[in-house]
Amino acid sequence: MMKKHIWGGLCLLALTACTTQRDPVEELLKQMTLEEKVGQMAQITVDVVAKGPNRYVSDEPVSIDMELLRNALVDYHVGSIINTANNRARTPAVWATLLNDIQTMATQETRLKIPVLYGIDAVHGVTYAAGATMFPQELALAATWNPELAYAMGEITAYETRACNLPWNFSPVLDLGADPRYARLCEGMGEDPYLVSRMGEQIVKGYEGPNNQISDPYHVASCIKHYLGYAVPVSGKDRTPAYIPDHVLREYHLPPFKAALEAGAHSLMVNSGIINGIPVHISYDILTKLLREELGFTGLIVSDWGDIENLVNRDKVAKDNKEAIKLAVNAGIDMSMIAYNYEPFCNDLIALVKEGAVKMSRIDDAVRHILTLKFQLNLFEQPTVNVADYPKFGSDEHGQKAYETAAEAITLLKNTNGILPLRKNAKVFVTGPAAHSMRPLNGCWSYSWQGQLADEFAGDYNTIFEAIQDKIGQNATWIPGVRYGQEMDYRVEYKERYDEALAAARRAEYIVLCLGENSYAEKPGDLVDLTLSKLQLQYAKDLLKTGKPIILVLAEGRPRIIREIASDMQAILMAYWPGNYGGDALAAIIFGEVNPSGKLPITYPSAVNSLVTYLHKPAEEQANSAGMYNYEGDFTPEFHFGFGLSFTDFAYTNLCVSTTEISGNEPLEIKVDVTNTGNLPGKEVVQLYTSDLVASMTPDVKRLRRFEKIMLQPGETKTVTFVIDASDLAFVNLKNQWITEPGTFMLRIGNTSLTHLFSYK
Ligand code: BGC
């Protein structure tokens, strides 16, 4: 392992000795040439400097090509590298070798000895690290409604990311998941701004550690993304235009980012998409006015992958690369995730500054943000770490948390006549394309971008079938019936031993049918029909003909529509993409060792033309008011946001409110008693909603304002207290102001009939 870099240490010591006032960033900035500054703003993918036939492909085993690295770091002063080579997970030891080569050159051969800022996507565990602890995807994490688990995921992921010598994590995703068609729904935390905010801030705190001391070698700098308004393109397809009025952007999309910034997030990645005709990468309004001037963000703003080039090639808002760079940098981008061709970026930006088209002050500002992060991460002092200092990498202790997270995420959506839990001596036939593969448990960003290497890297973990077999031995049998393909294209599925599977189903007592989606990420996950695939539906229908009760397990990144089969299923478990311990957690739930407590962080739609989320207006619920002809005008999702069953029952009583009228910023205290009236211990998510009964802009039917997850033993009662004030009742008007209008509001606890009216004066 590399020794502490002497120059950085001396420099800092010297600076502290002569003047405690001097800022090392400013000192360094003063010494830098324009070329060196511009280089800091350039970010490349590691394939560019790895040995291999070209910039897109690397040799295996992977190693750094010192000449290519020298060209990037010494000649072009490139400041940041990202990603893994050949899109493949590596062991911490391989990461150590790569980072050692990179940081040695950066801190010994470059004139100013500035370390490289290495960034990675460790979005549910360290995506690209063999042996890392893989948590459920963020959507599943949100289904736990347990901020402590969000913190734990952040903390463990930070530890393991650093163990790979990677100090900067492109996570969490804070995009509002308001469109179930969207391929990246699984990467975010669902459709409610409040839930995303509460969970997101905890992930940031977990990543960055106490007081955001990211110099600590067990924490990382978070990079919240994709600012702003990314996940709601009109088409439902990735990186296509969205039309979002400013007040909507502020009321629904901005709060999670604001919360994460308040939690101290050190950096931010920009939305690859286009809002109201303007690519966000050139939006001075969104990047500089809103983010810097209004929200006061002082951290690093990085572009998304190739998005400055996209301004030319895709969006046609710039005639060439140079104009694109000018627009993006002037809008507020500090660092360009160029990915491959860094030379034109550097040359063009240098020319732009010389011509006066980009001001030196803008360059200084950008480089200041970059250098500050490098200092904050203590990279000058300690550019690399020693793998041996991370004994808990991939440990059972970490795995236990990932298991708990999966166990609290999985959401029981249906349980007719209490069919679950099953007896351990029951004869269970496990089948379907997700039954015996790690890929549909992990989903996107797992060992590779698209997740197609999961069975190779995670073969030691239990698939759903293996986990069930662990519980009941030979009483479990498996035949796929339908299989997912091994290729990258997630849509490939085919019959495998189909008739044999139907025959086996006839002999079983229960069928555990595992359907859903094979892994995909980003654009390749675009789809034209949200309905579950024809073959999977057909298989479910053929299995139904056996007359055997079916427990449907859905392992999927977004809610594929199941209306053709849902009513015939005896039980439905939404597994999301639950990670490496998803199989174990599902089996524990199916056999009653774990009482499910997940609640949907999204609305599960029932039909492709009805994708309205729970955040909607009264006009979207018209069935009862509109009379005889309004057959399909109501809001009738398959399952509601916030819904999830337990094996025990909870009763809500004694809703008490401290006052029936508030004004100014007076608090309103709400108390409710929750009792476990069943026979099993269980966790319940107590949810508080408010409704504005009359407002100058048509209000949402209801809004989540607070929640708390509690554990109750059978017979136990707990009183849950929530405090809100007028700011919790506010909305953004057409002048972009948050206002709370006087009037009457209704409180509601979860889906209970407990409501209470109060007024704001
Ligand atoms: C994605 C980002 C990711 C980046 C780097 C992009 O394609 O949109 O979420 O952080 O690649 O891998």
Side-chain angles (χ1 to χ4, degrees):
M1 269 292 143
M2 189 172 164
K3 291 272 161 45
K4 268 192 179 181
H5 169 53
I6 306 296
W7 183 91
L10 285 180
C11 164
L12 283 180
L13 273 180
L15 285 173
T16 349
C18 29
T19 157
T20 43
Q21 307 302 325
R22 280 208 195 141
D23 180 346
V25 172
E26 295 305 325
E27 290 301 303
L28 195 48
L29 201 55
K30 272 190 221 151
Q31 300 173 49
M32 292 172 81
T33 62
L34 172 60
E35 289 71 14
E36 284 166 337
K37 290 176 184 175
V38 163
Q40 284 297 312
M41 296 169 69
Q43 184 180 64
I44 56 174
T45 186
V46 69
D47 284 305
V48 171
V49 292
K51 283 187 188 147
N54 55 45
R55 287 188 169 184
Y56 304 92
V57 179
S58 301
D59 293 340
E60 292 289 347
V62 60
S63 63
I64 298 295
D65 182 320
M66 290 304 176
E67 271 322 299
L68 294 178
L69 186 67
R70 191 164 287 115
N71 190 59
L73 301 192
V74 181
D75 300 343
Y76 278 86
H77 321 285
V78 164
S80 179
I81 304 182
I82 58 166
N83 210 11
T84 184
N86 287 340
N87 196 5
R88 240 189 121 72
R90 310 283 163 188
T91 62
V94 170
W95 277 116
T97 308
L98 299 176
L99 266 291
N100 205 34
D101 285 351
I102 291 169
Q103 297 295 30
T104 302
M105 185 170 293
T107 57
Q108 289 179 12
E109 290 191 36
T110 66
R111 188 178 76 91
L112 292 170
K113 310 192 174 349
I114 302 173
V116 161
L117 180 58
Y118 205 108
I120 204 78
D121 295 273
V123 299
H124 67 119
V126 199
T127 298
Y128 297 126
T133 305
M134 298 309 285
F135 277 78
Q137 296 282 341
E138 264 188 39
L139 185 65
L141 178 68
T144 68
W145 293 59
N146 185 342
E148 283 173 24
L149 291 172
Y151 182 88
M153 185 200 84
E155 198 175 37
I156 289 171
T157 302
Y159 178 104
E160 298 198 355
T161 307
R162 274 285 185 139
C164 298
N165 274 285
L166 306 166
W168 186 27
N169 188 2
F170 300 142
S171 177
V173 169
L174 301 174
D175 307 320
L176 201 69
D179 189 329
R181 298 169 300 172
Y182 200 55
R184 304 192 76 173
L185 191 79
C186 62
E187 291 186 58
M189 286 177 285
E191 68 197 30
D192 181 74
Y194 182 75
L195 179 60
V196 179
S197 301
R198 296 293 77 82
M199 298 297 279
E201 69 195 1
Q202 291 305 317
I203 301 179
V204 168
K205 287 181 181 171
Y207 284 156
E208 301 211 344
N211 303 318
N212 301 77
Q213 281 304 321
I214 53 174
S215 56
D216 169 47
Y218 296 100
H219 290 93
V220 294
S222 51
C223 185
I224 57 177
K225 66 188 188 185
H226 308 79
Y227 175 84
L228 180 67
Y230 180 43
V232 288
V234 174
S235 71
K237 295 183 184 175
D238 192 18
R239 292 166 160 93
T240 58
Y243 294 89
I244 315 176
D246 276 356
H247 70 284
V248 173
L249 204 60
R250 283 166 178 267
E251 182 171 338
Y252 302 92
H253 298 268
L254 191 58
F257 286 92
K258 196 161 176 277
L261 294 181
E262 281 161 8
H266 274 82
S267 67
L268 170 148
M269 190 186 294
V270 177
N271 170 4
S272 280
I274 308 124
I275 301 182
N276 306 335
I278 309 290
V280 181
H281 279 72
I282 63 166
S283 173
Y284 186 81
D285 283 349
I286 292 180
L287 300 181
T288 296
K289 281 201 191 154
L290 181 56
L291 182 61
R292 295 283 188 208
E293 293 169 11
E294 203 179 311
L295 299 180
F297 179 57
T298 55
L300 168 59
I301 303 180
V302 63
S303 83
D304 202 345
W305 185 280
D307 274 323
I308 295 189
E309 279 178 33
N310 278 338
L311 299 171
V312 186
N313 302 333
R314 186 192 69 190
D315 295 335
K316 317 288 179 198
V317 291
K319 64 177 182 302
D320 55 22
N321 198 38
K322 191 169 166 192
E323 188 180 13
I325 296 167
K326 181 184 86 177
L327 294 172
V329 172
N330 283 341
I333 303 280
D334 295 329
M335 181 182 272
S336 173
M337 191 185 286
I338 304 164
Y340 295 104
N341 296 315
Y342 58 90
E343 298 91 337
F345 173 84
C346 295
N347 296 336
D348 284 343
L349 185 50
I350 291 164
L352 284 162
V353 178
K354 289 187 175 159
E355 289 160 18
V358 174
K359 289 198 184 114
M360 192 61 158
S361 56
R362 176 70 267 275
I363 300 290
D364 283 345
D365 187 44
V367 177
R368 198 171 277 128
H369 298 137
I370 296 162
L371 294 178
T372 300
L373 189 56
K374 292 185 178 188
F375 275 107
Q376 286 167 331
L377 283 164
N378 201 28
L379 295 176
F380 287 88
E381 287 281 300
Q382 195 184 356
T384 56
V385 301
N386 193 337
V387 181
D389 294 337
Y390 296 81
K392 290 202 261 178
F393 176 89
S395 62
D396 289 348
E397 181 189 326
H398 286 182
Q400 177 62 26
K401 271 288 166 215
Y403 167 78
E404 280 169 30
T405 309
E408 283 204 24
I410 292 165
T411 310
L412 180 62
L413 296 175
K414 188 174 178 189
N415 194 17
T416 311
N417 300 327
I419 187 172
L420 290 180
L422 301 183
R423 304 177 335 267
K424 284 198 175 158
N425 60 1
K427 298 234 176 303
V428 180
F429 175 55
V430 188
T431 188
H436 197 16
S437 165
M438 294 310 294
R439 183 173 166 186
L441 291 180
N442 275 299
C444 55
W445 301 103
S446 306
Y447 308 104
S448 72
W449 177 44
Q450 295 292 315
Q452 79 277 19
L453 304 178
D455 285 296
E456 175 187 336
F457 280 94
D460 288 346
Y461 296 90
N462 282 332
T463 62
I464 301 173
F465 168 62
E466 288 165 341
I468 290 180
Q469 209 178 23
D470 266 8
K471 304 281 180 220
I472 64 169
Q474 290 186 346
N475 284 333
T477 49
W478 166 78
I479 295 172
V482 173
R483 273 273 207 194
Y484 292 136
Q486 297 298 309
E487 42 281 269
M488 212 170 89
D489 183 346
Y490 77 101
R491 298 165 308 165
V492 178
E493 340 180 312
Y494 49 88
K495 289 184 177 176
E496 188 174 303
R497 299 166 65 195
Y498 197 88
D499 295 332
E500 210 186 316
L502 294 178
R506 276 182 220 110
R507 291 191 297 272
E509 236 178 299
Y510 299 98
I511 301 169
V512 173
L513 174 58
C514 308
L515 304 181
E517 296 185 309
N518 210 3
S519 71
Y520 54 80
E522 298 189 48
K523 195 82 191 147
D526 281 352
L527 91 174
V528 293
D529 186 349
L530 190 58
T531 312
L532 191 65
S533 80
K534 276 203 177 89
L535 181 57
Q536 294 192 54
L537 286 174
Q538 184 57 50
Y539 187 43
K541 288 176 190 169
D542 286 341
L543 285 169
L544 280 168
K545 287 184 202 145
T546 66
K548 296 298 163 87
I550 303 183
I551 291 112
L552 175 63
V553 172
L554 294 165
E556 55 190 9
R558 60 195 148 193
R560 299 297 293 262
I561 285 166
I562 52 167
R563 72 187 303 197
E564 290 176 35
I565 56 170
S567 59
D568 295 323
M569 297 292 137
Q570 295 295 298
I572 301 179
L573 282 161
M574 175 60 161
Y576 313 90
W577 276 336
N580 275 340
Y581 298 89
D584 296 313
L586 277 162
I589 290 173
I590 289 171
F591 295 99
E593 291 169 14
V594 164
N595 189 355
S597 63
K599 305 274 178 190
L600 286 176
I602 46 165
T603 303
Y604 204 114
S606 60
V608 288
N609 283 7
S610 288
L611 303 181
V612 169
T613 70
Y614 105 90
L615 290 177
H616 61 261
K617 307 297 177 189
E620 287 165 299
E621 297 192 357
Q622 293 201 43
N624 298 324
S625 59
M628 312 171 45
Y629 57 85
N630 194 5
Y631 305 116
E632 297 202 342
D634 202 0
F635 175 61
T636 52
E638 196 71 60
F639 303 105
H640 285 266
F641 172 85
F643 176 72
L645 298 167
S646 166
F647 293 152
T648 190
D649 296 308
F650 298 101
Y652 286 75
T653 52
N654 298 331
L655 175 64
C656 302
V657 179
S658 58
T659 169
T660 51
E661 189 179 298
I662 53 169
S663 59
N665 47 20
E666 258 176 72
L668 179 70
E669 194 183 76
I670 302 128
K671 287 183 191 288
V672 67
D673 289 344
V674 190
T675 307
N676 181 346
T677 56
N679 299 321
L680 289 171
K683 289 189 176 179
E684 171 70 334
V685 180
V686 185
Q687 303 166 36
L688 174 74
Y689 294 86
T690 65
S691 306
D692 191 346
L693 298 191
V694 178
S696 59
M697 288 175 76
T698 182
D700 286 321
V701 170
K702 61 176 186 174
R703 292 290 296 268
L704 178 70
R705 300 305 184 188
R706 295 285 183 277
F707 64 88
E708 192 179 330
K709 191 164 197 176
I710 54 170
M711 173 75 193
L712 289 172
Q713 297 301 323
E716 189 184 355
T717 299
K718 274 186 187 158
T719 304
V720 174
T721 306
F722 296 118
V723 180
I724 60 169
D725 63 27
S727 66
D728 293 298
L729 308 170
F731 64 91
V732 179
N733 67 13
L734 292 179
K735 293 183 186 148
N736 291 335
Q737 300 154 328
W738 280 97
I739 56 160
T740 308
E741 289 179 343
T744 307
F745 294 81
M746 186 165 79
L747 291 171
R748 180 187 292 275
I749 300 291
N751 288 321
T752 70
S753 54
L754 289 184
T755 59
H756 185 89
L757 292 179
F758 70 98
S759 57
Y760 170 70
K761 292 240 156 147

